[in-house]
């Protein structure tokens, strides 16, 4: 039970309208053919099709809330338009009445406080079994330091701070590489305008959006993993998944100085928490890790141990399976 996995490829379109018209009918058709006993959705744009499937198949639906959209409404209006935002409001309210909700953060409960059906908080901690093939003994490249980032490449994710910090870092270490995995929201013109970009352009390796397993192959000689976010929307209230992934892979972590993040990084002494708007702090942290490999290795081990002892998927999957069982037994 809950063990068989089957992946179905779907076309992707950048525009929401195109996805509604061309992708959602495929999802509807394929799901009707599968006839599942329970449906678990992750993306809020699937709420309408999930409700339709619930009515047609008479099955329970689990809606996973991985982002507090109510704290990003202005940003969503700019990127998706007022009409799409209006529909989100309507269908999100419907989901709270008709679906079972899974939250990836406790902080979301302050917004979703009128739930009708049994729900659960299940943190998106990393799976040790999945990441184990990509974990290597901590062995950073001292002659040509390497750093790692995976996620959206945007100003909200402090990419401008990273670029300015690397320009400072270059004064101390002229040869280095910054591995960047993820979709870019910045155009080439945007990049050219960033302070320090011209100085570090040749050191930045943009891989684009690729499979995590390919990305993690590059960490063998990496000094640190960077998970710096600005205080935008729900970021201060939400753990960045990549922070825990870096810890699981045995990398010292550099992240934002939000209280939620500090409670992990400083308590387990596995990296640095610093201001996402101060490149000098980030540059100093990078230099420290390169020049103090023994201390960096201790951070590596402490972060890994914290994941093994507490922040791993094995501790969370039971919550999800318990919720599934509870739903199916009613």
């Amino acid at each position: 039970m809950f063990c068989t996995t089957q992946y179905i490829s779907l076309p992707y379109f950048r525009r929401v309208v195109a996805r509604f018209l061309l992708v959602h009918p495929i999802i509807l058709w394929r799901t009707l053919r599968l006839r599942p006993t329970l449906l678990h959705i992750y993306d809020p744009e699937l709420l309408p099709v999930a409700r339709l499937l619930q009515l047609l198949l008479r099955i329970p639906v689990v809606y996973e809330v991985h982002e507090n959209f109510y704290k990003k409404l202005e940003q969503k209006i700019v990127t998706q338009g007022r009409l799409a935002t209006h529909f989100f409001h309507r269908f999100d309210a419907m989901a709270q009445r008709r679906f079972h909700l899974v939250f990836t953060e406790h902080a979301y409960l302050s917004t979703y406080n009128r739930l009708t059906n049994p729900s659960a908080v299940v943190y998106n901690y990393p799976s040790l079994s999945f990441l184990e093939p990509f974990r290597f003994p901590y062995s950073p490249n001292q002659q040509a330091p390497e750093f790692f980032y995976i996620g959206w490449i945007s100003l909200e994710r402090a990419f401008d701070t990273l670029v300015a910090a690397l320009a400072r870092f270059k004064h101390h270490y002229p040869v280095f590489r910054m591995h960047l995995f993820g979709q870019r929201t910045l155009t080439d013109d945007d990049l050219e305008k960033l302070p320090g970009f011209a100085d570090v352009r040749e050191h930045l390796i943009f891989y684009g959006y690729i499979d995590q397993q390919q990305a993690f192959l590059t960490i063998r000689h990496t000094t640190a993993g960077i998970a710096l976010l600005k205080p935008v929307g729900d970021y201060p209230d939400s753990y960045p998944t990549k922070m825990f992934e870096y810890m699981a892979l045995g990398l010292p972590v550099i992240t934002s100085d939000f209280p939620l993040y500090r409670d992990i990084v400083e308590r387990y002494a596995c990296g640095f928490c610093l201001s996402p708007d101060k490149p000098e702090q980030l540059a100093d942290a990078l230099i420290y890790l390169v020049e103090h490999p023994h201390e960096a290795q201790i951070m590596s081990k402490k972060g890994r141990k914290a994941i093994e002892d507490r922040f791993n998927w094995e501790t969370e999957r039971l919550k999800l399976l318990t919720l599934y069982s509870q739903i199916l037994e009613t």
Side-chain angles (χ1 to χ4, degrees):
M1 187 177 182
F2 310 126
C3 295
T4 302
T5 302
Q6 178 183 358
Y7 294 98
I8 300 172
S9 297
L10 295 169
Y12 175 75
F13 300 93
R14 288 185 62 90
R15 295 179 64 84
V16 175
V17 173
R19 295 199 295 272
F20 268 109
L21 297 176
L22 302 175
V23 181
H24 291 200
I26 299 174
I27 296 173
L28 178 65
W29 176 66
R30 294 303 296 263
T31 308
L32 287 172
R33 289 190 61 189
L34 288 171
R35 300 192 70 83
T37 55
L38 181 148
L39 179 65
H40 185 137
I41 66 168
Y42 176 82
D43 198 309
E45 74 177 47
L46 293 176
L47 288 171
V49 73
R51 177 56 176 160
L52 182 57
L53 286 165
Q54 184 183 49
L55 293 171
L56 292 173
L57 297 175
R58 297 187 179 278
I59 58 173
V61 175
V62 175
Y63 169 40
E64 182 175 330
V65 180
H66 63 279
E67 186 177 11
N68 192 337
F69 283 87
Y70 291 99
K71 290 194 174 183
K72 298 181 177 178
L73 283 181
E74 292 185 7
Q75 179 184 349
K76 295 298 180 182
I77 289 173
V78 171
T79 59
Q80 298 183 12
R82 291 190 177 277
L83 183 60
T85 306
H86 171 74
F87 275 106
F88 164 74
H89 272 282
R90 294 287 299 273
F91 281 100
D92 187 74
M94 176 277 299
Q96 295 183 56
R97 297 192 308 271
R98 305 291 184 181
F99 297 166
H100 300 267
L101 273 63
V102 166
F103 304 96
T104 58
E105 301 288 344
H106 268 94
Y108 299 163
L109 296 177
S110 63
T111 300
Y112 291 85
N113 52 17
R114 295 182 179 179
L115 305 178
T116 303
N117 299 305
S119 301
V121 177
V122 181
Y123 286 99
N124 191 21
Y125 293 151
S127 168
L128 291 175
S129 59
F130 173 77
L131 293 176
E132 191 61 28
F134 312 104
R135 186 169 72 98
F136 308 103
Y138 187 67
S139 178
N141 188 334
Q142 296 297 112
Q143 284 69 44
E146 300 179 32
F147 305 103
F148 185 91
Y149 173 85
I150 186 168
W152 283 93
I153 298 171
S154 65
L155 298 182
E156 291 80 10
R157 303 292 179 103
F159 186 70
D160 53 340
T161 303
L162 175 61
V163 168
L166 292 174
R168 289 171 174 264
F169 179 83
K170 186 174 181 177
H171 293 304
H172 299 265
Y173 294 92
V175 181
F176 69 91
R177 286 191 291 180
M178 180 73 229
H179 300 285
L180 297 156
F181 294 90
Q183 290 186 342
R184 220 182 351 123
T185 65
L186 301 167
T187 65
D188 290 343
D189 288 341
D190 293 333
L191 294 179
E192 294 292 343
K193 294 175 184 176
L194 294 178
F197 180 77
D199 296 327
V200 300
R201 179 194 291 108
E202 64 189 75
H203 304 279
L204 306 179
I205 308 175
F206 293 98
Y207 295 86
Y209 180 80
I210 66 173
D211 187 271
Q212 274 190 326
Q213 298 182 60
Q214 293 179 267
F216 291 149
L217 290 173
T218 66
I219 71 162
R220 186 185 293 269
H221 300 297
T222 299
T223 296
I226 298 172
L228 207 58
L229 297 94
K230 293 186 178 180
V232 176
D234 65 342
Y235 288 162
D237 301 323
S238 307
Y239 288 125
T241 302
K242 64 179 71 69
M243 178 179 77
F244 294 109
E245 291 173 342
Y246 297 158
M247 293 165 63
L249 292 167
L251 293 179
V253 174
I254 300 177
T255 190
S256 302
D257 59 351
F258 305 146
L260 186 70
Y261 300 8
R262 286 204 307 267
D263 186 53
I264 301 294
V265 176
E266 294 182 356
R267 187 190 344 165
Y268 293 96
C270 58
F272 292 98
C273 290
L274 46 87
S275 172
D277 294 309
K278 295 184 177 179
E280 64 274 13
Q281 291 186 6
L282 177 55
D284 289 345
L286 298 177
I287 293 169
Y288 178 90
L289 290 171
V290 172
E291 296 182 350
H292 298 82
H294 177 69
E295 289 78 1
Q297 186 175 49
I298 293 174
M299 294 179 185
S300 161
K301 291 180 178 178
K302 288 185 175 181
R304 171 67 185 191
K305 189 173 188 309
I307 298 297
E308 292 175 346
D309 292 346
R310 181 175 177 184
F311 305 106
N312 62 77
W313 177 241
E314 292 304 309
T315 65
E316 298 300 301
R317 65 185 290 271
L318 296 178
K319 297 180 187 178
L320 185 60
L321 294 180
T322 298
L323 178 64
Y324 284 166
S325 298
Q326 182 182 2
I327 293 170
L328 294 175
E329 288 171 0
T330 56

